[in-house]
């Protein structure tokens, strides 16, 4: 009961896995949720102080079960990291309703459902929620009608929750990652896109999963005890440059 407990969604790989590992290094226990059961169980088999939860964040029954199981296991819930996300990119005219729903149900419905389900337990611990949005939710760009809109909604949901849950001592913040080389980004970033990102990002490189995890875990921790309702871009300076013409920097 002494060890703090974080629930990390989308924890089987990428940013979610790196975040779970950093919580473990900091002495937390971690309920690791993912709908990819094979990969999740492979990862949890080699770690201590973890609970694997093979669940889908877009399914209300799964979410209710995940909260019951995590609380039953740890006796407390101190943080929820809404990290599970899917990326499907394409022109507006090719984004049929099925694709729109696939993106929304994980990226937006999942954040809403998990946050609502965990709230009663976070009231007990004065805990924190960290949502993972994207730089694609901060400015519009091509091919991201569903993805970008879902992430912009996550940005606003963060502020809604921060406004309403603050009186219960619950902090709610959001991390907006720039490009990070994970399975999700490799699937949608061609070599040309990778080069263009390098040219446009002031730090001239992709971020690492660990660099994202450091900020996520900080925001979930007591060290950020007076931080709520904030959107923190972890993006090598990308968001700060606006139109950021690479030619002006070259
Ligand atoms: N990698 C990037 O460049 C980048 C940039 C900006 C934002 N992000 C965001 O960061 C988060 C993590 O991205 P990543 O690159 O580590 O992705 P990833 O694809 O490597 O990992 C995502 C994990 O989430 C799981 N998942 C997806 N939908 C789920 C669902 N409905 N229920 C349960 N689990 C589900 C997947 O099985 C996978 O294990 C996402 O929200 C993504 O949108 C990533």
């Amino acid at each position: 009961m002494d060890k703090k407990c974080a629930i990390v969604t989308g924890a089987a790989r990428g940013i979610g896995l790196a975040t779970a590992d950093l919580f473990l290094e900091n002495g937390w226990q971690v309920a690791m949720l993912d709908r990819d059961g094979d990969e999740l169980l492979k990862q949890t088999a080699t770690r201590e102080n973890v609970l694997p939860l093979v669940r889908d964040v877009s399914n209300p029954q799964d979410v209710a079960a995940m909260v019951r199981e995590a609380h039953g296991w740890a006796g407390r819930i101190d943080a929820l990291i809404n990290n599970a996300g899917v990326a499907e990119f394409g022109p507006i005219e090719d984004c049929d309703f099925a694709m729109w729903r696939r993106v929304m149900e994980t990226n937006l419905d999942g954040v809403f459902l998990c946050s609502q389900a965990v709230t009663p337990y976070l009231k007990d611990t004065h805990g924190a929620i960290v949502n993972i949005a994207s730089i694609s939710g901060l400015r519009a760009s091509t091919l991201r009608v569903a993805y970008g809109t879902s992430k912009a909604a996550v940005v606003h949901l963060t502020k809604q929750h921060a406004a309403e849950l603050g009186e219960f001592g619950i902090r709610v913040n959001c991390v907006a990652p720039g490009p990070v080389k994970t399975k999700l980004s490799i699937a949608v970033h061609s070599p040309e896109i990778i080069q263009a990102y390098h040219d446009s990002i002031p730090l001239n490189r992709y971020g690492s999963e660990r660099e994202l995890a450091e900020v996520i875990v900080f925001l979930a921790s007591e060290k950020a005890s007076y931080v709520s309702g904030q959107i923190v871009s972890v993006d090598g300076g990308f968001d700060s440059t606006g139109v950021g013409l690479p030619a002006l920097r070259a």
Side-chain angles (χ1 to χ4, degrees), residues 38-56:
D38 290 347
E39 194 56 33
L40 183 68
L41 296 176
K42 204 165 84 191
Q43 297 299 343
T44 53
T46 56
R47 289 168 172 78
E48 288 176 1
N49 296 316
V50 297
L51 175 72
L53 295 168
V54 182
R55 299 283 179 192
D56 187 325

Side-chain angles (χ1 to χ4, degrees), residues 10 12-16 33-36 55-58 83-86 106 132-134 147 151 177-180 182-185 189:
R13 65 181 200 218
I15 295 167
L33 179 146
D34 208 288
R35 67 179 172 189
D36 180 347
R55 299 283 179 192
D56 187 325
V57 296
S58 69
N83 166 76
V86 296
T106 288
I132 313 307
S134 168
Y147 184 78
K151 294 299 190 180
V180 178
T182 63
K183 238 183 176 170
L184 176 141
S185 64
H189 293 180

